[in-house]
């Protein structure tokens, strides 16, 4: 099974930026749709953005141009560039891999904390 490992979270002040990454062990990485999700305290896990093997992208409305999802198939890695971060962006951020509309793997998550 494909193994996903997130990194690049951390503590940042409001208005700051982070760029978490998600590295996949699978050499067939390019065939997967990759997604970024987040889960804040007391809330359900929610979709942030999704990118297909052909780099078609879907963002949730709350991103409002602040986030950019991208992938590098040669490196088996998907990224989430997050700018203009707000306290409400504080959450554990997870990546997943999707094949034939089925989630086949989740990462363990990386903590993003936006605070003064």
């Amino acid at each position: 099974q494909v193994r996903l490992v997130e990194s690049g979270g951390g503590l940042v002040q409001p208005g700051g930026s982070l760029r978490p990454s998600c590295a996949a062990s699978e050499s067939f990485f390019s065939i997967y749709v990759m997604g970024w999700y987040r889960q804040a305290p007391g809330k359900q896990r929610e979709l942030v953005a999704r990118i297909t093997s052909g780099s078609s992208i879907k963002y949730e409305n709350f991103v409002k141009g602040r986030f950019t999802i991208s992938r590098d198939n040669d490196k088996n890695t998907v990224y989430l560039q997050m700018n203009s971060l707000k306290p409400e962006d504080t959450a554990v951020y997870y990546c997943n891999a999707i094949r034939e509309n089925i989630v086949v793997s989740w990462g363990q998550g990386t903590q993003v904390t936006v605070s003064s």
Side-chain angles (χ1 to χ4, degrees), residues 2-6 21-26 28-37 47-58 69-73 76-80 94-99 102-107:
V2 60
R3 177 170 52 84
L4 305 176
V5 180
E6 302 96 334
S21 62
C22 173
S25 63
E26 175 59 55
F28 281 100
F29 172 79
S30 63
I31 71 175
Y32 296 105
V33 175
M34 301 297 297
W36 280 101
Y37 290 71
L47 176 68
V48 176
R50 192 155 51 211
I51 184 168
T52 71
S53 60
S55 295
S56 294
I57 295 169
K58 176 181 173 59
I69 188 171
S70 62
R71 67 192 296 161
D72 187 335
N73 291 337
N76 295 340
T77 301
V78 62
Y79 305 92
L80 185 67
Y94 302 87
C95 67
N96 71 359
I98 301 168
R99 178 80 183 278
I102 298 173
V103 176
V104 298
S105 187
W106 284 98

